[in-house]
Amino acid sequence: MKKSISIILLWLISITAMADSPKKISYQAVVRNTKGELVTNKTVGVKISIYYYATKTTTVTEYAETHTTLTNGNGLMTIEIGTGTVVTGVFTDLNWATRIYYFKTEIDTEGGTKYTIISETQILSVPYALH
């Protein structure tokens, strides 16, 4: 009887240890206006798109979402990609293993959707993920 309880307990612990990873990505950026000045303690509108290149010059956006967030005293904004208002696609349907993806970040420093600041960057692995 004690052996059965021990086996069941070990089984429950191992299932808990194999829990799914969160379906979101933490993202931070320092926000500056078009003059290069920090945007501090202000509500900003953010649109994040995740895309790939179908050809050398043609991109395909697989997922996009919007956020409204507040910058801190240093101009830093923090969002969780995967938890915003979806514009297109399904975040959990992204196939990270088959494509090279890029982020496109668009920002409206007035808190709306008239995005004037745009940056693009390739999504890279963190060293921990390579192990």
Side-chain angles (χ1 to χ4, degrees), residues 18-80:
M18 292 187 295
D20 254 352
S21 61
K23 305 296 185 216
K24 54 190 173 181
I25 300 170
S26 179
Y27 184 83
Q28 292 184 317
V30 173
V31 181
R32 295 179 181 272
N33 62 22
T34 55
K35 296 175 185 174
E37 303 163 334
L38 287 175
V39 177
T40 59
N41 301 312
K42 192 168 180 188
T43 299
V44 295
V46 182
K47 180 178 179 186
I48 298 285
S49 302
I50 299 175
Y51 68 93
Y52 66 92
Y53 281 91
T55 67
K56 272 189 166 185
T57 57
T58 307
T59 61
V60 176
T61 298
E62 276 201 26
Y63 180 77
E65 69 181 25
T66 60
H67 292 262
T68 302
T69 190
L70 184 67
T71 61
N72 69 11
N74 297 313
L76 182 70
M77 65 149 203
T78 302
I79 60 172
E80 292 180 337

